[in-house]
Amino acid sequence: RKEVEQDPGPFNVPEGATVAFNCTYSNSASQSFFWYRQDCRKEPKLLMSVYSSGNEDGRFTAQLNRASQYISLLIRDSKLSDSATYLCVVLHTNAGKSTFGDGTTLTVKP
Amino acid sequence: DAGVIQSPRHEVTEMGQEVTLRCKPISGHNSLFWYRQTMMRGLELLIYFNNNVPIDDSGMPEDRFSAKMPNASFSTLKIQPSEPRDSAVYFCASRPLGGEDTQYFGPGTRLTVL
């Protein structure tokens, strides 16, 4: 079993749709959580951090459930420009390194 | 800030040749990471450094791979001899030491070994 697992996708949604991605992690010592976005043939870039209380950034909402070791990302009113691969990332602060999920691919269609 | 700089951006070589990938982290970042990304295996951490010291190289596939960080502004990843299965995109990333700060990735080196 991989340490970080994501919905494999792909997700194909129309513009304006709401879409949610899930991620589970197995290491209970994990301390920080992030969502990264990776466009085709580009490098991963931070989308947002994920806090225990949940956090929102415009159309994007991230949730963390430590008890269930589960992270989610919700995208509302999706845009064509949201088409990308979304990577769930878990940081082990003590170990100093991050583990990336394999990513979920989203395609938003007109 | 120019961000993380990697060179070359593309490399095509023949099996058995030595390949050297280069990375310049963001100034002031103390941690540097080398990743490899393939369709089959996703994004894998190969090795990372804190303050130029290798901390964890458990992701390095085998002895053909080696990485160095002679100073705070430069790192190399070397493959010798290269094999077709090494074909991948290799990313370098840097991060300020400690805390929960994010990693900043370079544009990657797309390596093809024929």
Side-chain angles (χ1 to χ4, degrees), chain A residues 2 31-32 34 36 38 41-44 46 51 87 91 93 95-98 100 102, chain B residues 33 35 37 41-43 45 48 56 58 91 95 99-103 105-107 110:
Chain A
K2 290 192 173 185
Q31 292 165 291
S32 299
F34 307 88
Y36 277 67
Q38 186 172 21
R41 302 178 76 84
K42 297 287 189 180
E43 71 272 22
L46 178 70
Y51 302 119
L87 303 166
L91 170 64
T93 307
K97 64 180 183 180
S98 301
F100 284 72
D102 287 343
Chain B
F33 304 81
Y35 291 89
Q37 188 173 40
R41 300 172 70 91
L43 193 64
L45 177 66
Y48 81 96
D56 185 342
S58 58
F91 288 106
R95 186 187 76 200
E100 302 176 353
D101 291 312
T102 185
Q103 296 180 44
F105 283 77
R110 187 170 297 274

Side-chain angles (χ1 to χ4, degrees), chain A residues 99-110:
Chain A
T99 302
F100 284 72
D102 287 343
T104 300
T105 298
L106 172 65
T107 301
V108 181
K109 298 183 176 180

Side-chain angles (χ1 to χ4, degrees), chain A residues 55-76:
Chain A
N55 49 297
E56 195 171 301
D57 183 1
R59 297 181 294 108
F60 299 82
T61 301
Q63 297 276 356
L64 167 64
N65 184 322
R66 286 187 185 270
S68 302
Q69 298 183 193
Y70 171 94
I71 305 158
S72 66
L73 176 68
L74 183 76
I75 305 175
R76 291 181 300 278

Side-chain angles (χ1 to χ4, degrees), chain A:
Chain A
R1 183 187 173 196
K2 290 192 173 185
E3 187 175 335
V4 179
E5 297 207 52
Q6 296 186 238
D7 287 346
F11 286 67
N12 298 302
V13 303
E15 270 186 292
T18 295
V19 61
F21 304 140
N22 303 319
C23 171
T24 58
Y25 61 96
S26 58
N27 187 343
S28 59
S30 303
Q31 292 165 291
S32 299
F33 309 89
F34 307 88
W35 284 100
Y36 277 67
R37 170 190 169 130
Q38 186 172 21
D39 292 294
C40 187
R41 302 178 76 84
K42 297 287 189 180
E43 71 272 22
K45 293 184 179 179
L46 178 70
L47 177 66
M48 59 195 302
S49 302
V50 187
Y51 302 119
S52 296
S53 55
N55 49 297
E56 195 171 301
D57 183 1
R59 297 181 294 108
F60 299 82
T61 301
Q63 297 276 356
L64 167 64
N65 184 322
R66 286 187 185 270
S68 302
Q69 298 183 193
Y70 171 94
I71 305 158
S72 66
L73 176 68
L74 183 76
I75 305 175
R76 291 181 300 278
D77 188 23
S78 53
K79 312 290 185 189
L80 297 177
S81 58
D82 294 334
S83 298
T85 296
Y86 291 84
L87 303 166
C88 174
V89 184
V90 172
L91 170 64
H92 314 291
T93 307
N94 291 341
K97 64 180 183 180
S98 301
T99 302
F100 284 72
D102 287 343
T104 300
T105 298
L106 172 65
T107 301
V108 181
K109 298 183 176 180

Side-chain angles (χ1 to χ4, degrees), chain B residues 2-45:
Chain B
V4 176
I5 299 173
Q6 291 188 246
S7 65
R9 295 291 304 276
H10 302 272
E11 176 81 27
V12 180
T13 190
E14 293 186 345
M15 182 173 63
Q17 296 297 306
E18 177 180 296
V19 175
T20 299
L21 311 181
R22 297 172 176 80
C23 175
K24 177 179 169 56
I26 293 172
S27 178
H29 284 193
N30 305 87
S31 295
L32 183 142
F33 304 81
W34 281 102
Y35 291 89
R36 177 174 68 177
Q37 188 173 40
T38 62
M39 288 292 292
M40 291 295 294
R41 300 172 70 91
L43 193 64
E44 304 173 279
L45 177 66

Side-chain angles (χ1 to χ4, degrees), chain B residues 73-86:
Chain B
S73 59
F74 183 65
S75 177
T76 59
L77 177 68
K78 185 175 294 186
I79 308 172
Q80 166 63 18
S82 58
E83 297 182 1
R85 60 191 168 122
D86 301 331

